[in-house]
Amino acid sequence: MRAPVPAIAVLTAVLAAAGAAGAQPAHLAPGEAPSGAIEPDPPVIELLTFGIGARIFEKFGHAAICLRYHQPEHPEICFNYGVTNFNAGAVMVWNFLRHEQKFWVEPTRLTAMLAFYQAEDRDIWRQTLPITAEAARAIEAQLWSDIREDHRYYDYDHFFDNCSTRLRDMIDRATGGALSAGGSAPYARTYREIGRRGLADMPLLLVTSDLITGRQLDQHPTVWQAMFHPDILRTEVALRLRAPPELIYRRHGPPFPTRGKTGRLHFLALAVALAVLLFLAYTARRYQTAMLWTWGVALAVVGAVVWAVAIISPIPAVRWNEAVFVVMPIDLALPLLSPGRRQRYAQIRLGVLAAVAALGLVGVFHQPLWAVILAVALPMATIAFDLPHGRQRPE
């Protein structure tokens, strides 16, 4: 899964960081390898899954599928559905947000693929699929068809159409539904929880994802849907096809954490520090304007980003975002309003925040926004009730 978290998904910061990535396993040029049913016996089908890597766009692992032929003149060919132009920069960011980023499949020799991921020091698992000759032929035909120019491209979706789901669907079709059978049961973790595992060492990015990605990620996928993640695909293939994974390369570096700080407490601590400064400014009746501008600009910028992304993107996991009720661009009004109107504005904002918190408590809202709600509520409370002096401001 070479793409950044959209993302599954779709975080702008992640996509921008991924723009520095250009490395891919060396692929075969058109015509460099024979295609189709090139041997009288069907090939052996092997599923490869790769562990997470050090760079941000490697944090969710990857998957590929390979054809192992029987005659030595036919090398084993693997097919990588996670290829795109990672150097496209701002264009790639825009295309991801608009759900228009083109990915495609490239064939590569097994030796080149293994060398690439070993050089990245990432775990590699191989599963030989115990399937019928007919199923192997179906997968072979699909793979060679998919590298044709008119078939090879697709619009990437981190959760619903990626390098793992392409292989999941292919194997399922060839085996008459072996992976989808019984796959409608809910998976134990939500989309957000599955995605957070790979980013456990990036708390700043995690708290950003709380703001940018919406309520769809707090749903529990079905087991079938959860196979968008290479680790879960490997587990389910082992269980349903009786294809135990073989670890053929183990990472030599230290293991990556799968649990860590969410970044929410860091975010809240910064907000508390700024709120204390605002409180002191109100107490001393000095520097109020400076602190109001600090809070107004900070909240407005965060709100503008959240609102802009939600408006621009058609992706449900981004568009339907409960954070739009918490952070708002109009908070820039804080330093511009008269004292009385500013106080009433802050009281209205507190009421909206209380409603969002209540909807979260009763299960109508789902996103983990408690830290953000508190961060916004602290300065609003100081302004709304003039806490240091406990009196209403005159108009």
Side-chain angles (χ1 to χ4, degrees):
M1 194 173 295
R2 299 278 304 170
V5 76
I8 48 160
V10 294
L11 297 176
T12 301
V14 181
L15 299 177
Q24 300 273 351
H27 64 269
L28 296 169
E32 191 174 347
S35 62
I38 60 177
E39 292 184 353
D41 294 324
V44 175
I45 309 298
E46 295 179 332
L47 176 67
L48 296 182
T49 47
F50 306 92
I52 65 177
R55 291 176 288 187
I56 194 168
F57 53 89
E58 301 169 345
K59 290 299 184 180
F60 298 91
H62 186 46
I65 196 166
C66 306
L67 303 175
R68 175 157 53 88
Y69 289 104
H70 307 283
Q71 298 173 10
E73 63 269 25
H74 298 147
E76 187 165 357
I77 305 297
C78 299
F79 296 79
N80 177 10
Y81 284 79
V83 182
T84 193
N85 180 11
F86 287 100
N87 293 317
V91 173
M92 183 182 69
V93 174
W94 176 257
N95 286 342
F96 265 105
L97 289 174
R98 294 295 303 157
H99 195 210
E100 296 173 353
Q101 181 66 20
K102 295 294 182 184
F103 270 59
W104 59 88
V105 56
E106 294 280 13
T108 185
R109 294 181 189 271
L110 172 66
T111 52
M113 179 162 280
L114 294 181
F116 177 85
Y117 287 101
Q118 288 175 12
E120 290 196 331
D121 196 22
R122 297 168 65 177
D123 292 332
I124 305 174
W125 290 269
R126 176 172 58 199
Q127 291 168 281
T128 300
L129 305 187
I131 57 178
T132 65
E134 181 182 8
R137 282 297 193 200
I139 291 175
E140 177 189 35
Q142 181 70 61
L143 290 170
W144 289 120
S145 174
D146 280 356
I147 66 170
R148 289 168 42 189
E149 189 65 20
D150 55 339
H151 287 177
R152 64 196 308 226
Y153 299 98
Y154 67 99
D155 291 327
Y156 179 89
D157 186 297
H158 181 71
F159 297 101
F160 301 105
D161 198 355
N162 65 24
C163 63
S164 292
T165 64
R166 291 260 151 175
L167 306 187
R168 175 201 67 187
D169 296 351
M170 186 186 307
I171 295 169
D172 190 63
R173 284 193 300 269
T175 57
L179 292 182
S180 59
S184 60
Y187 192 70
R189 290 177 287 168
T190 66
Y191 286 107
R192 193 182 302 275
E193 290 167 342
I194 295 171
R196 294 182 79 86
R197 185 174 178 270
L199 300 172
D201 56 347
M202 297 182 173
L204 178 60
L205 191 58
L206 286 175
V207 75
T208 302
S209 73
D210 288 345
L211 283 164
I212 298 297
T213 54
R215 59 183 285 130
Q216 186 184 46
L217 300 193
D218 297 293
Q219 299 174 358
H220 285 265
T222 64
V223 173
W224 166 259
Q225 292 169 330
M227 288 185 237
F228 81 88
H229 196 288
D231 286 357
I232 300 172
L233 177 64
R234 179 176 64 250
T235 299
E236 294 301 320
V237 166
L239 176 65
R240 296 165 183 271
L241 296 183
R242 294 182 175 84
E246 174 192 3
L247 183 63
I248 60 176
Y249 177 81
R250 184 183 295 276
R251 173 176 165 80
H252 296 301
F256 293 104
T258 57
R259 292 186 177 183
K261 297 178 180 178
T262 64
R264 295 166 188 162
L265 289 178
H266 295 81
F267 180 85
L268 185 58
L270 176 61
V272 168
L274 288 174
V276 168
L277 292 177
L278 179 64
F279 182 89
L280 293 176
Y282 261 65
T283 301
R285 299 300 194 199
R286 300 175 62 188
Y287 308 114
Q288 285 178 256
T289 300
M291 288 308 305
L292 286 170
W293 274 107
T294 299
W295 268 108
V297 170
L299 292 174
V301 168
V302 174
V305 171
V306 170
W307 278 64
V309 171
I311 292 169
I312 289 169
S313 180
I315 303 171
V318 179
R319 168 159 289 184
W320 304 111
N321 189 348
E322 296 161 10
V324 299
F325 299 107
V326 180
V327 289
M328 298 183 178
I330 58 173
D331 285 343
L332 187 60
L334 284 174
L336 302 174
L337 294 171
S338 65
R341 287 178 176 159
R342 181 187 306 130
Q343 195 168 45
R344 285 196 291 273
Y345 174 86
Q347 290 168 354
I348 293 170
R349 287 286 278 119
L350 279 177
V352 173
L353 293 171
V356 172
L359 290 171
L361 288 174
V362 299
V364 176
F365 280 4
H366 303 291
Q367 287 178 230
L369 294 173
W370 61 266
V372 183
I373 292 172
L374 286 173
V376 179
L378 289 172
M380 292 300 172
T382 294
I383 297 167
F385 304 115
D386 196 7
L387 290 180
H389 304 91
R391 64 175 181 268
Q392 295 288 319
R393 286 276 195 155
E395 182 62 44

